[in-house]
Amino acid sequence: MEQVLAFNTSVSFVTNTNWQSYVPETTMGYLVQMAGLTVHNFVSAAVGIALAIALIRGFARREASGIGNFWVDLTRCTLYILLPISVVVAVLFVWQGVPQNLNAYADATTLEGAKQTIAQGSVASQEVIKVLGTNGGGFFNANSAHPYENPTALTNLVQMLLLIGIAAALTNVLGRMVNDERQGWAIFAVMGILLFIGVTIVSWSESHGNPAFAAFNVDSAPSALQAGGNMEGKEVRFGITPTALFATVTTDAGGAVDAMHDSFLPLGGMVLIVNMARGEVTFGGVGSGLYGMLAFAVVTMFVAGLMVGRTPEYLGKKLEAREVKMTMLSLLSYSLSILGWTALTAAVPQGLAGIANSGPHGFSEILYAFASATGNNGSSFAGLSTNTVFYNMTLVGAMLMGRFIYVIPLLAVAGSLAQKKRIAPSAGSVPTHSPQFVGLLVGGIHYPAP
């Protein structure tokens, strides 16, 4: 692998992004796939969970001098959560037809007499942590649209559940650690509402077909002979509704794809970009979704406190200037990364050379790429050619900003909150387990988003 591409790939897997500017089955050997990429799939996911737990401890602890031991959290997450689930689900995937071997690629002769090389390898073990750890990088270039990575409707469903499983469970962890499970259910409700809105819009848009075909009398209505709707870039074995659900879930959380997102209609594609641009907090990546959501909760309660003329507070901790400034620094760094790298790329010849489509959709390909890289998602509008020095390096910048500059201020918030006393709710407090708070937070998420 060329050095700049190798650097991009290393940063991609370390940051839990798994952006792939290469064809894995023809570029990577088994040793690199297992000892290099899959190992980082585990560790980067464990890092995200550890960071989320650290922020929760900031709210849960009282007058504490620390927020935990990172190495202990990293080890526990890997050995007690990620590894056991991966072993069990990998066996399920093998049962469903996902390869797990170290055999040489098979040579076959097609019905037309052509020669074909069929790639195989340790797919099941990499596939499960790809989705469980919300990494997204596949063993094959076609990712979860490939029949060896995602052979049946059952594996398609299991992959979606794995993509949001840990992120959803962490909301309950939040409630338990602050001794009020209603707080976790409130955050879960916000995430669920946002997911439902996204799935509804994407499914509606894709099921109505491409309006540009109307002038050519193309029949895109569902019938006994066809699925109907916009089936371009989608697997016939999955259809529109499961594909719309998978696309929404993966841009909310992971980065795996079972369809070509570049072929989605404008409204559907917009939802996928918005999912990533607002911080990928709708369940989100393992750990990163929750700490991103808590950042929005801090800002929301700051605004709510100003509205009622009270000192802002959340989960029993006063939110003072230091916490609010650090949280806004985190959120603004995310926006700066997406918009800054997109603006630079759209303004220079090296950036424009990579787009496959002219006009607005070409710009959308660029915007999607940097929203995906900053959100550590890894999916793409694959019409963009990114295996160049310019794109490999700019995407590295976006991935590093989205992972580290975003979280460092939040860790400062966690440390500051952990040192504070816990205060009892008063008549002027906004209850943070109520429908009112859920509505405020849904609105607060969309207001500062790019």
Side-chain angles (χ1 to χ4, degrees):
M1 182 178 280
E2 187 269 329
Q3 291 179 355
V4 176
L5 177 59
F7 178 54
N8 175 282
T9 304
S10 299
V11 170
S12 179
F13 278 78
V14 167
T15 58
N16 198 243
T17 309
N18 289 28
W19 180 277
Q20 293 174 294
S21 295
Y22 58 91
V23 179
E25 64 265 41
T26 61
T27 306
M28 299 292 194
Y30 291 161
L31 178 63
V32 175
Q33 292 269 38
M34 293 187 297
L37 305 187
T38 304
V39 167
H40 279 298
N41 282 349
F42 278 95
V43 177
S44 64
V47 168
I49 300 173
L51 295 175
I53 296 299
L55 184 55
I56 295 174
R57 288 194 185 114
F59 289 103
R61 292 186 172 182
R62 307 175 186 181
E63 300 179 89
S65 60
I67 51 175
N69 185 303
F70 172 74
W71 177 252
V72 171
D73 290 341
L74 185 75
T75 304
R76 287 172 174 168
C77 292
T78 304
L79 296 183
Y80 301 160
I81 302 174
L82 299 174
L83 200 56
I85 297 175
S86 295
V87 170
V88 173
V89 179
V91 174
L92 183 148
F93 281 170
V94 171
W95 169 55
Q96 286 293 297
V98 179
Q100 180 68 23
N101 58 56
L102 296 176
N103 298 339
Y105 288 2
D107 293 321
T109 302
T110 67
L111 295 176
E112 293 82 9
K115 298 295 183 182
Q116 181 180 1
T117 299
I118 301 175
Q120 52 186 325
S122 55
V123 184
S125 58
Q126 182 167 331
E127 185 68 16
V128 59
I129 191 59
K130 178 192 87 172
V131 287
L132 178 64
T134 61
N135 297 282
F139 190 95
F140 298 99
N141 191 46
N143 209 275
S144 288
H146 196 289
Y148 276 1
E149 285 199 26
N150 192 8
T152 67
L154 177 60
T155 59
N156 198 55
L157 174 62
V158 170
Q159 288 190 23
M160 285 188 281
L161 293 174
L162 291 176
L163 279 167
I164 62 174
I166 293 178
L170 282 171
T171 62
N172 186 257
V173 173
L174 168 67
R176 289 171 179 265
M177 289 183 66
V178 299
N179 295 317
D180 186 354
E181 290 193 38
R182 297 175 299 175
Q183 304 293 342
W185 283 114
I187 297 296
F188 183 87
V190 173
M191 294 178 172
I193 289 170
L194 296 176
L195 177 62
F196 176 78
I197 293 172
V199 172
T200 301
I201 295 174
V202 176
S203 181
W204 179 88
S205 173
E206 297 302 306
S207 64
H208 280 72
N210 192 334
F213 291 165
F216 302 99
N217 294 320
V218 174
D219 180 15
S220 59
S223 69
L225 300 178
Q226 64 180 18
N230 176 37
M231 282 298 295
E232 179 188 327
K234 298 178 178 63
E235 284 289 296
V236 176
R237 58 202 170 100
F238 297 141
I240 286 178
T241 301
T243 302
L245 178 58
F246 197 109
T248 307
V249 166
T250 199
T251 49
D252 282 333
V257 296
D258 71 350
M260 180 69 73
H261 289 184
D262 200 37
S263 295
F264 277 48
L265 295 175
L267 188 60
M270 180 197 72
V271 171
L272 306 186
I273 294 175
V274 168
N275 287 344
M276 297 179 293
R278 66 188 175 198
E280 221 180 68
V281 294
T282 308
F283 296 105
V286 282
S288 62
L290 182 62
Y291 64 66
M293 180 64 77
L294 291 177
F296 279 113
V298 168
V299 175
T300 298
M301 294 314 298
F302 173 71
V303 174
L306 294 178
M307 291 171 63
V308 299
R310 302 282 296 187
T311 301
E313 58 186 71
Y314 182 56
L315 300 179
K317 296 295 181 74
K318 283 188 176 182
L319 303 175
E320 298 175 305
R322 174 182 172 83
E323 292 82 36
V324 175
K325 287 179 181 178
M326 288 293 102
T327 302
M328 287 306 303
L329 176 62
S330 177
L331 295 176
L332 290 173
S333 71
Y334 191 91
S335 300
L336 174 64
S337 177
I338 295 175
L339 300 178
W341 291 115
T342 299
L344 172 65
T345 302
V348 299
Q350 297 93 324
L352 298 176
I355 59 177
N357 299 274
S358 59
H361 191 70
F363 178 78
S364 295
E365 290 177 342
I366 297 173
L367 178 62
Y368 191 111
F370 288 104
S372 176
T374 301
N376 302 128
N377 184 274
S379 65
S380 68
F381 272 2
L384 189 69
S385 299
T386 58
N387 190 13
T388 63
V389 172
F390 175 82
Y391 271 106
N392 279 330
M393 295 306 296
T394 52
L395 288 168
V396 161
M399 289 186 284
L400 291 173
M401 289 181 69
R403 185 65 163 179
F404 298 112
I405 296 181
Y406 185 74
V407 79
I408 289 172
L410 295 181
L411 288 175
V413 171
S416 177
L417 291 173
Q419 298 174 27
K420 295 187 175 185
K421 297 179 180 179
R422 193 175 182 87
I423 57 176
S426 65
S429 301
V430 177
T432 54
H433 53 74
S434 64
Q436 178 190 32
F437 170 74
V438 171
L440 283 171
L441 186 50
V442 170
I445 289 169
H446 287 86
Y447 177 73

